Amino acid sequence: MADELNPAVTDEAATAAGPDAEAEEPMKQRKNGLYPGVSDELAENMQSGWADTEMRDLRPVPQAAESARRRAALSARFPGERLVVPAGNLKTRSNDTEYAFRASVEYAYLTGNQTEDGVLVLEPSAGGHKETIYLLPRSDRENGEFWLSGQGELWVGRRHSLTESEALYGIPAADVRELADRLREATGPVRVVRGHDAGIEAALTDKVTAERDEELRVFLSEARLVKDEFEVGELQKAVDSTVRGFEDVVKVLDKAEATSERYIEGTFFLRARVEGNDIGYGSICAAGPHACTLHWVRNDGPVRSGDLLLLDAGVETHTLYTADVTRTLPVNGTYSDIQKKIYDAVYEAQEAGIAAVKPGAKFRDFHDAAQRVLAERLVEWGLVEGPVERVLELGLQRRWTLHGTGHMLGMDVHDCAAARTESYVDGTLEPGMVLTVEPGLYFQADDLTVPEDYRGIGVRIEDDILVTEDGNRNLSAALPRRSDEVEAWMASLKG
């Protein structure tokens, strides 16, 4: 990583750090940098001799029309109010390195843009709202920011110009460095999506209330409950790449046995980065008893023949839609008798859950259907005293099922999380909703209430289900689920 010079902190870099940040000396150096400064001759030389690279034939991003409709719905919901939706800022990982930036879901959903420091502002007007997307312009060539700032073009890459951004996103663009002052002077009711840009929030501190801002966040969360055609297509892309990622893993299980769960994690991550933007969440590559830890993301344990591998992973597309799929695979390609017994019970529960996903059904129905099957099996195996109705009423099956059977899916792996309970978990399924169905059974290695051969076995099967007009469609159906089909699929890939 280049370490020759602490780039100058310009007005633009200071503004990116927050609206109240003050510009520092233009030639501030890294404490242990190798260059003492910039000569006048070099500064002058760097100002000239550069080609015109403005992009003049840009087409709108694929979701531009959908984003415009979403903004129109937002405008209609909050007439006469100024609405502020930030993308967020870079976050420091350590010292002078940052985490990879991911724009806030609300901002990306409404604009299609994913750059740091961006802010969408809807200002009330006679016809509804005037839309402006506030962005950092291209880094300045005159003051040297493009090569001296740590966020300059020669250090982190070219930004789009404001004119280019207008063409891409279909929204008038302005310089975000001017926004904080404008917001401080704003009058009338204002709402902001909180938690992403402290500088923007500080500029509005005397103009907003937590209650009103929460109403904005809830609306934007509920707006994503029903996916449009573009979103369904992106989720299918994410799932298709995820399927290929699972195939990649099966092909290298022998290498994972020779190393650790990390080999599985890295293998899937390669597919996610080659075909998508990233993984949608930390991959769970849980072998052996680690499969009983619901969110095992350390992925540093051994992979042994004879054990199960619970792989819960999803590719995130370049538009930030993620898949969320789980398969529990025999490392050596064949389930043992006890593994198959537990796996088949989870498969049966998932089948019941998927069958309950249809328009007009309650969101809870698929969870209840899957839990009933699991409770029946636990009673049948003598692990809990029946009858089944008693078990379900008291929730006794939860010792081994632990979690809910699914959740909404979209730009967040647990999408629409801020939606009202009556619109989500107590709501009704509609065509266009996408959710996971993921029952599981987990017998902890230290659970003395179950036979010894159950202990350390964890099984989860998860698929991404689209509610259709006449039922549902399993977006991840390309991955086998039935135990005999899983074994045949693994054998074909290894062969």
Side-chain angles (χ1 to χ4, degrees):
M1 185 175 188
D3 187 39
E4 294 301 311
L5 172 71
N6 182 21
V9 180
T10 64
D11 289 345
E12 176 173 325
T15 301
D20 296 321
E22 296 180 0
E24 302 180 36
E25 292 298 320
M27 295 300 173
K28 179 183 177 183
Q29 304 299 311
R30 189 187 305 277
K31 180 178 180 180
N32 290 302
L34 296 177
Y35 286 109
V38 177
S39 68
D40 291 341
E41 290 79 6
L42 176 58
E44 181 179 358
N45 177 275
M46 291 296 288
Q47 289 179 357
S48 60
W50 304 100
D52 178 8
T53 59
E54 183 75 8
M55 301 176 184
R56 296 179 173 81
D57 298 315
L58 293 175
R59 300 175 63 85
V61 295
Q63 68 269 44
E66 286 79 5
S67 297
R69 285 193 288 270
R70 298 164 190 166
R71 295 193 301 275
L74 176 62
S75 173
R77 171 61 179 82
F78 298 103
E81 303 186 50
R82 181 177 276 100
L83 308 173
V84 182
V85 185
N89 315 124
L90 290 172
K91 291 181 173 61
T92 299
R93 181 179 185 273
S94 179
N95 188 28
D96 57 354
T97 61
E98 293 86 21
Y99 288 104
F101 180 74
R102 189 185 191 276
S104 74
V105 166
E106 296 88 352
Y107 176 85
Y109 178 75
L110 292 169
T111 66
N113 177 259
Q114 296 180 36
T115 55
E116 64 268 19
D117 302 320
V119 185
L120 172 69
V121 178
L122 273 62
E123 298 182 29
S125 64
H129 283 86
K130 174 188 175 185
E131 304 172 343
T132 306
I133 186 170
Y134 288 87
L135 301 166
L136 287 172
R138 287 193 64 187
S139 48
D140 198 323
R141 302 254 170 174
E142 291 300 314
N143 67 5
E145 183 263 342
F146 79 109
W147 74 288
L148 292 173
S149 167
Q151 296 303 314
E153 188 170 302
L154 298 194
W155 287 85
V156 298
R158 183 188 188 278
R159 290 192 293 266
H160 283 297
S161 70
L162 298 181
T163 301
E164 291 169 352
S165 294
E166 290 184 359
L168 287 169
Y169 308 111
I171 313 171
D175 192 335
V176 72
R177 295 172 296 184
E178 304 168 1
L179 179 58
D181 288 339
R182 292 188 184 183
L183 292 178
R184 289 189 189 95
E185 298 170 0
T187 59
V190 184
R191 298 178 193 254
V192 63
V193 176
R194 299 191 180 200
H196 302 302
D197 193 319
I200 292 298
E201 290 179 38
L204 294 169
T205 185
D206 60 341
K207 307 176 191 300
V208 296
T209 67
E211 181 180 7
R212 288 164 50 78
D213 292 347
E214 180 64 11
E215 289 175 350
L216 173 59
R217 189 171 78 105
V218 168
F219 173 81
L220 290 173
S221 195
E222 293 187 3
R224 303 198 308 276
L225 283 169
V226 176
K227 270 59 181 179
D228 57 38
E229 186 176 349
F230 173 83
E231 293 178 289
V232 172
E234 289 301 294
L235 285 167
Q236 186 65 69
K237 286 181 188 176
V239 168
D240 292 345
S241 290
T242 298
V243 169
R244 290 188 282 273
F246 274 65
E247 292 172 346
D248 296 339
V249 167
V250 171
K251 293 175 181 177
V252 300
L253 282 177
D254 58 333
K255 295 182 175 63
E257 286 187 65
T259 52
S260 75
E261 295 162 339
R262 290 283 169 91
Y263 204 96
I264 295 166
E265 178 184 341
T267 298
F268 187 85
F269 181 71
L270 177 61
R271 178 66 66 173
R273 287 292 282 166
V274 168
E275 295 194 3
N277 176 60
D278 208 327
I279 49 175
Y281 54 95
S283 298
I284 299 167
C285 308
H290 288 164
C292 299
T293 301
L294 301 185
H295 287 169
W296 176 260
V297 293
R298 299 179 201 172
N299 299 334
D300 58 1
V303 179
R304 299 187 179 100
S305 180
D307 282 349
L308 296 177
L309 166 68
L310 190 157
L311 178 58
D312 184 337
V315 172
E316 177 186 79
T317 67
H318 294 291
T319 56
L320 306 186
Y321 289 85
T322 185
D324 182 9
V325 177
T326 307
R327 290 293 183 268
T328 306
L329 312 171
V331 173
N332 63 12
T334 304
Y335 295 100
S336 70
D337 290 344
I338 186 63
Q339 290 169 349
K340 185 176 187 300
K341 173 183 174 179
I342 296 170
Y343 183 96
D344 287 350
V346 175
Y347 171 77
E348 184 183 351
Q350 195 201 28
E351 283 283 273
I354 292 174
V357 175
K358 54 190 174 184
K362 296 296 183 183
F363 180 86
R364 291 180 181 272
D365 287 353
F366 75 92
H367 168 72
D368 292 341
Q371 289 293 299
R372 175 170 291 276
V373 171
L374 295 177
E376 288 171 351
R377 293 298 159 266
L378 292 168
V379 171
E380 176 186 313
W381 298 340
L383 303 185
V384 64
E385 182 181 349
V388 170
E389 293 300 336
R390 168 184 172 271
V391 173
L392 293 171
E393 181 181 356
L394 299 177
L396 301 180
Q397 83 285 359
R398 293 181 61 186
R399 181 181 178 102
W400 303 285
T401 67
L402 292 174
H403 56 78
T405 310
H407 51 81
M408 291 296 181
L409 184 67
M411 298 181 83
D412 280 327
V413 65
H414 297 144
D415 207 29
C416 313
R420 294 168 297 173
T421 301
E422 59 266 32
S423 300
Y424 188 162
V425 73
D426 289 337
T428 301
L429 297 180
E430 300 177 38
M433 290 181 170
V434 180
L435 56 122
T436 67
V437 179
E438 50 175 314
L441 282 173
Y442 311 92
F443 299 103
Q444 305 299 325
D446 59 350
D447 188 348
L448 302 181
T449 70
V450 300
E452 187 174 357
D453 58 349
Y454 284 60
R455 298 173 198 167
I457 294 178
V459 174
R460 180 163 66 249
I461 311 171
E462 178 180 19
D463 286 88
D464 301 341
I465 310 297
L466 168 68
V467 183
T468 62
E469 295 289 344
D470 57 356
N472 68 66
R473 184 168 89 238
N474 185 349
L475 301 180
S476 45
L479 270 183
R481 290 185 297 127
R482 211 173 64 200
S483 57
D484 60 334
E485 293 175 343
V486 169
E487 290 175 339
W489 169 71
M490 294 182 69
S492 69
L493 291 171
K494 290 185 175 182

